[in-house]
Amino acid sequence: SYVDILLVPTYNYYTFAGAIESLTVGYAVIRFGSGNLSAIARDEALYYLVDPYLALDTQYRIVDFNDASSRLIEGLTTDQIGVPLAAVFPELAEILISPTGISSLDEPVTFVVDGHPRHYSVSVASVSDWNTTRCYAIVLNDVTELESSRNRIQQQNEQLDAFVGTVSHDLRNPLSVMAGRLKLARDESDSEQLDHIEQARARMEALIDDLLTLAREGQS
């Protein structure tokens, strides 16, 4: 597996703060003051969470994960509990952990899963006990479909920009030549045919203006 930061404009995906908060609260209750009911609730929450979830202690060692994480991180088993994230998933640790700490990422990251690139937004929530951080809950939300849609829209926008450029320049230039030639022709003749040509030229100018308005404003 490998990881690359996508070179895309910074923008926010759908937030999952509620889910992370629920997980971290449940996690804190279980690990640092447990109850059977809370343990059952936590297990159910993680079972139905389709995105990878990891919990790290303050030394960035793995203390918990769900099945989705084991599918993302090849070879991840309960034997890795207590092992540093950098040893188990160095690609994530390299971009997530800095000298100043650990925090959510502003941009999606890409991992190769089963031979195919998948894009994830990474959210981090700290679990505190009396204002003391005890561990971190990490959710990697799969935004592959969102990224694909965004890339398609970006490509369409680029095509639209090219279209606007063609209309506004390549089509207007011949019309400008036509207007100049008509002016010269009127000096030589007062034929009514020139009026029809001018009307057609003006109509083409109006059509170009309408096309540019449609392309730029998205309104008919």
Side-chain angles (χ1 to χ4, degrees), residues 22-217:
S22 298
L23 289 173
T24 55
V25 170
Y27 182 84
V29 171
I30 296 151
R31 297 298 188 191
F32 308 116
S34 62
N36 290 335
L37 184 59
S38 296
I40 293 173
R42 170 198 166 276
D43 291 340
E44 287 295 311
L46 292 183
Y47 177 80
Y48 287 109
L49 184 65
V50 296
D51 292 315
Y53 154 82
L54 293 165
L56 309 178
D57 64 14
T58 54
Q59 300 300 312
Y60 310 128
R61 296 172 298 196
I62 296 176
V63 294
D64 198 16
F65 61 90
N66 65 347
D67 288 342
S69 290
S70 63
R71 292 191 294 271
L72 171 63
I73 307 173
E74 184 177 357
L76 179 62
T77 67
T78 53
D79 293 338
Q80 274 73 47
I81 296 295
V83 176
L85 178 65
V88 177
F89 198 3
E91 298 93 339
L92 178 60
E94 182 179 356
I95 59 176
L96 192 61
I97 301 172
S98 69
T100 59
I102 182 172
S103 61
S104 301
L105 300 179
D106 295 330
E107 298 180 344
V109 294
T110 302
F111 301 116
V112 174
V113 182
D114 296 330
H116 302 283
R118 305 293 298 181
H119 309 305
Y120 297 88
S121 64
V122 182
S123 300
V124 179
S126 61
V127 180
S128 300
D129 180 15
W130 298 101
N131 296 323
T132 300
T133 299
R134 303 297 298 275
C135 69
Y136 303 94
I138 304 168
V139 173
L140 294 89
N141 181 251
D142 192 328
V143 295
T144 302
E145 296 305 319
L146 287 174
E147 277 295 296
S148 297
S149 297
R150 191 192 68 82
N151 289 335
R152 285 195 297 270
I153 292 173
Q154 182 176 354
Q155 183 179 12
Q156 291 171 355
N157 286 339
E158 291 173 354
Q159 293 172 344
L160 185 59
D161 288 341
F163 167 76
V164 170
T166 298
V167 171
S168 62
H169 295 95
D170 296 351
L171 293 185
R172 285 194 188 278
N173 288 341
L175 289 178
S176 297
V177 173
M178 183 184 296
R181 293 293 182 176
L182 276 172
K183 183 177 180 181
L184 293 175
R186 288 188 184 280
D187 293 338
E188 299 175 358
S189 171
D190 59 356
S191 171
E192 64 178 13
Q193 299 301 324
L194 297 179
D195 294 333
H196 295 303
I197 295 176
E198 174 57 28
Q199 291 173 4
R201 190 202 65 80
R203 177 59 178 159
M204 291 178 67
E205 285 278 7
L207 287 173
I208 290 175
D209 289 338
D210 290 344
L211 283 173
L212 291 176
T213 299
L214 175 63
R216 289 167 175 163
E217 304 298 332

